[in-house]
Amino acid sequence: MNKITVKNIDISITGISDDDYVSLTDMARLLNQEDPRYPIQNWMRLKSTIAFIGLWETLNNPNFNRVEFDAFKNEAGYNYFVMTPTKWVAKTNAIGFKTKSGKYGGGTFAHRDIALEFASWISPEVKLYIIKEFQRLKVQESEQLEWNGKRLLTKLNYLIHTDAVKEHLVPIELSNEQKGYIYANEADLLNVALFGKTAKEWRDENPDKDGNIRDYANTIELAILSNLEYLNSMFIPQKIDQKERLILLNKEANREKELFNRNNIKPIKRIEKK
């Protein structure tokens, strides 16, 4: 679950069926901090609201109960008319609203289209803030996908790298512990060539962080690392000494860094979970 902040209020966003649903409960706290249900109910009593959410369901929900919708549309706007998200979903088989139980992260969620309509009812200012924060969140998600793709590529190329190590550097008669040392040693060769430090040196410098040095690399570093893994897998069968391979790999890493920098390629870091 993601969050955006509007006027010092955290608003939750959750993915349901590959779509974004925004917490109306959180948004309603901008009007009533103690009981956010009331602003939602007041908004849903309006004839314009019923018409909007009914049209949204008609366009997006093949199982929408239009008979019940027509009845609500005729009653909306009268003083006696009361509507809640739970009632709307139960009577019309709507999919635009979802409810979640729980003290933390619970409440009423609505599809982003409906949530923006609710935000507009609160105030144009709130709607604009939400649109801007939503755009920022989407950019962030896109960057995270790019980082994940680069990280996956390094893991795939690492299989090629370890296969070369296994075939040319690991004698069969060694124990598993001794073999593990050779694999780790070759992995650290790449770490030193690119990052200037071993995995252990990084852990000693960052005792409060989970994962390893590669989990905190940016996309440019991951792209270079992937290339170095493949390049080293080519050097190993050529019987090139490890010290010489380190020099060659470091030169290649620096060349690629300069190339990315010259072309103004933006490095993207992994978004750390809080």
Side-chain angles (χ1 to χ4, degrees), residues 159-174:
L159 293 176
I160 299 174
H161 182 258
T162 54
D163 187 67
V165 174
K166 178 181 179 181
E167 185 175 350
H168 298 280
L169 297 179
V170 180
I172 298 176
E173 63 273 12
L174 293 184

Side-chain angles (χ1 to χ4, degrees), residues 24-25 28 36-44 83 85 108 118:
L24 297 191
T25 301
R37 294 175 299 173
Y38 292 137
I40 298 173
Q41 292 174 15
N42 289 338
W43 174 66
M44 293 191 73
M83 181 55 66
T108 297
F118 180 57

